[in-house]
Amino acid sequence: MNDRKARLGFFASHGGSNFEAIAKACHAGQVHADPTVLIYNNPNAKVKERAASLNVAAFCMNASKFESLDDLDSRIIQVLSEHEVDLVILAGYMKKIGPKVLFTYSGRILNIHPALLPKYGGKGMYGMKVHEQVVHDREQESGATIHVVTKDYDEGPILAQGKVAVVDSDSAESLAKKVLLVEHQLYPSTIQAVISGEVRLPEPGDQLLRERLSRS
Ligand code: GRF
């Protein structure tokens, strides 16, 4: 592989266990990428401590710090651009991505959802609510989905899914733990597959990513 490492920019809101799993996979050489910058919106998020211990630059950015959502969107673009981010990784980010970031990184923003989309996705379907509904519906399987982000919640093209069995004794909490373990494997491996070209992003994302990675 002659291409340079991909530069990853992360967005997260809370714990950041996916951020950590991906950053460690990069440091271990399993993902040909550098975790470059983290943007988080919640000042108390545990993810900021994880970023500090993994030596990843972190910026707390949210609407309260800017005059408008448009200003926030512009400043986020500036931070991503200053860090020369190639691929944006949403890892438990609870805010909507602004239109400028969506446009600039069209086809190059990935998200992870803790269910087998298109089931259990869309507005209001996040965190434990997803697992509660899956258990309530007595589904026999659930899992995690990696998809490309578009303007509609959880509707972009699906890149990969990992499944877990749901058993009668499962609670939403026990299911969440099982799914999170799958996420920690699935997210790094899918990012690596995107970087290597084994999994293609929707255009113009894929071509832009290839062009950027082939520059020295
Ligand atoms: C994960 O379950 C992910 O699927 C969802 O938010 C959660 C984030 O967990 N989008 P963590 O912050 O990475 O621990």
Side-chain angles (χ1 to χ4, degrees):
M1 186 183 304
N2 294 320
D3 286 348
R4 69 163 171 82
K5 285 186 176 180
R7 296 173 67 83
L8 305 182
F10 294 85
F11 286 64
S13 294
H14 297 295
S17 68
N18 277 286
F19 161 76
E20 180 170 330
I22 298 163
K24 284 187 169 167
C26 292
H27 292 158
Q30 291 153 353
V31 177
H32 192 56
D34 280 326
T36 307
V37 64
L38 166 75
I39 291 168
Y40 62 102
N41 60 296
N42 167 8
N44 302 317
K46 185 174 174 200
V47 70
K48 82 173 171 194
E49 291 155 32
R50 297 196 202 244
S53 68
L54 288 158
N55 278 321
V56 178
F59 296 83
C60 182
M61 300 178 77
N62 58 47
S64 74
K65 300 191 172 187
F66 296 88
E67 288 206 345
S68 67
L69 284 178
D70 189 55
D71 284 353
L72 171 63
D73 200 13
S74 300
R75 179 68 185 126
I76 288 178
I77 283 283
Q78 199 184 337
V79 169
L80 296 176
S81 151
E82 280 167 6
H83 289 82
E84 298 180 49
V85 167
D86 300 306
L87 206 53
V88 171
I89 308 296
L90 307 190
Y93 187 59
M94 305 305 285
K95 296 285 173 190
K96 209 153 188 186
I97 294 293
K100 288 178 186 163
V101 174
L102 259 185
F103 177 76
T104 308
Y105 286 89
S106 175
R108 289 187 292 150
I109 308 175
L110 309 189
N111 183 39
I112 188 159
H113 186 79
L116 297 174
L117 291 174
K119 285 180 117 179
Y120 303 101
K123 205 162 168 52
M125 268 293 156
Y126 58 87
M128 289 307 283
K129 288 179 199 272
V130 174
H131 304 299
E132 280 160 11
Q133 195 63 48
V134 169
V135 168
H136 174 267
D137 292 352
R138 297 180 168 271
E139 293 281 359
Q140 300 204 325
E141 62 178 16
S142 189
T145 301
I146 314 284
H147 67 95
V148 178
V149 173
T150 56
K151 64 177 177 34
D152 301 306
Y153 278 112
D154 302 330
E155 288 197 359
I158 291 174
L159 301 181
Q161 292 188 311
K163 293 181 179 177
V164 299
V166 185
V167 293
D168 285 349
S169 57
D170 266 325
S171 60
E173 288 74 17
S174 69
L175 179 58
K177 283 189 189 145
K178 288 199 283 192
V179 171
L180 203 55
L181 286 178
V182 169
E183 294 185 27
H184 295 164
Q185 303 297 320
L186 186 70
Y187 219 172
S189 65
T190 305
I191 293 168
Q192 175 54 27
V194 166
I195 291 167
S196 71
E198 188 189 322
V199 165
R200 294 283 174 172
L201 297 171
E203 298 300 351
D206 209 71
Q207 196 183 343
L208 262 168
L209 180 65
R210 306 281 137 235
E211 279 171 18
R212 291 178 64 98
L213 296 184
S214 61
R215 284 184 220 147
S216 53

